[in-house]
Amino acid sequence: SLPLLCFRSSLIFGLLLLAPFTQPSTITQPNFVLLLADDLGIGDVGCYGNDTIRTPNIDRLAKEGVKLTQHIAAAPLCTPSRAAFLTGRYPLRSGMDAINDYRVIFWNAGSGGLPPNETTFAKILQHQGYSTGLIGKWHQGVNCESRNDHCHHPLKHGFDYFYGMPFTLISDCQPTETPEMDRAFRRKLWLSTQMIGLITLTAVLGRLTGLIPVHWKTLTCLAGFSLLFFISWFSSYGFVRYWNCIMMRNHGITEQPMVTGRTTSLILRESISFIERNKHKPFLLFLSFLHSHTPLLTTEKFLGRSSHGLYGDNVEEMDWMVGQVLDAIDKEGLKDTTLVYFASDHGGWLERQEGERQLGGWNGIYKGGKAMGGWEGGIRVPGIFRWPGVLPAGTVIDEPTSLMDIYPTVVHLAGGAVPQDRVIDGRDLLPLLRGAAAHSEHEFLFHYCGVHLHAVRWHQKDTGAVWKAHYVTPIFSPPGAGACYDRGFCPCFGEGVTHHEPPLLFELSQDPSEAKPLSADTEPLFDTVIRKIGRAIEEHRSTLTPVPEQLSVSNVVWKPWLQPCCGTFPFCWCDKEGDN
């Protein structure tokens, strides 16, 4: 009949109208704005319990979206954690975790970096028609064999546009700060140079006074050796600011060395400009903050504003930058079509101090910090998603999740497929974020320090227990201090760690601070849990295949022929932003 036909037509029309609102993730390709802080501790953010550092914009993201309370970095340092984030894979699968004490990329002129055969989420989104941009820190290498091959560069890894630092911010970039890079090794080199110089001078004086019978030929060789030794290390370490502290736009260098006073405003300007340029097509913006890494570049407007010194000022400025980016999204009418994500690459750096000044972050109730692969403080980070109308606002999820999960989540939402020819360790988070799934897909997460397995977490889904077994832990110095203040970094292996047999076991849902290790006497399930985790380790190790070590000594050393240079090497200097 006619009324029934009209009713059916109206119903079909109504369902068609409703479809985009009920399942927008399957109808449209959202924009992605991925915000990654540098060295920010989970205890530094208001919505994670900090009531003295003001982070209203990050807190607003959590209020309007989903907050993860057990969001885990795949590594406790910049280079390996970011490699895992970009590839969805544990960093040792790509050779981006350390076999030695060089645990990150040390020079723009090293030959190690994210291998060209790794497929980042940016590369897949590029193929899906997205405009892809990286603004800020890279720290995944630049060149392989020549100064301009750019084999590790962001543009080789799926980004259409790059503006920022190919390296990482370090105190050496700020002329007024105490040098940070390889500080202890540099002291040894200075001392060795002085000793060799003293021996040479003594021999020369002895020859002139006749007290030491030595040939002039020998003295010439000794003097030549002294000079060569000095040049061999000072040519790199003496010019760290020129070699590492550079800014690039795509393949071109814009500042060498960078002018730190304008860096924050340029990064913010570039981020907003990228959104404005690409508002009419799907885009991916990866804003990789230089905040809150030392030397804590902070503009005058924010200096002295927080109650936590320069570090607090820097975090509050980063929060303001987050707000400016969110405002730009709103202004362009993109709020409902943009998935925004905020996280930190790993925990706060507890040992980073200059005299009485604390220059590193705080990890709240969690033990340990940056560089510690096992303890929660090194790897548990803020994790916030916002997508209005799709993700339920004000949700808190306490399931184990990983920074590696961004990879499959973003790829699937963009309509792409994750590579089938390699192991992807991340899991699609959308069902969990939308409330369609009660549990994370991660049963086990493996916590590495370099290539050394320090701990494993097992999420026992039927009981809700989160067991964590520590096989190796760093020895804190001084004892009981909670960090390695005497070293500046906790090591992964050697005399600075303790091996545990049986492993230390904690139940994180009852003891998130990892303060009370369980034993076979106190925990009836102790042996069962340790056996279950042991089998998971064997299974995990069976999936690992040998790959070239990107952070080997030969790959991390400074190679002058690989040095990005604005000019004719070694006369590398330019300021194209100033010229503009």
Side-chain angles (χ1 to χ4, degrees), residues 83 86-87 94 96 112-116 118 120 138 140-141 151-152 157 550:
L86 288 160
T87 63
S94 57
M96 290 292 280
L114 191 62
E118 285 294 326
T120 67
W138 175 237
Q140 299 291 302
C151 70
H152 303 305
H157 280 295
Q550 297 298 324

Side-chain angles (χ1 to χ4, degrees), residues 3 46-47 50-51 60 88 123 193 212 230 235 241 350 362 395 410 450 470-471 497 534 554 571:
C47 58
N50 192 307
D51 55 7
R60 172 161 62 103
K123 198 175 275 184
T193 304
I212 303 173
F230 176 69
S235 58
R241 190 163 154 257
L350 302 178
W362 183 53
T395 307
V410 162
H470 288 260
Y471 295 87
V497 302
S554 62
F571 305 105

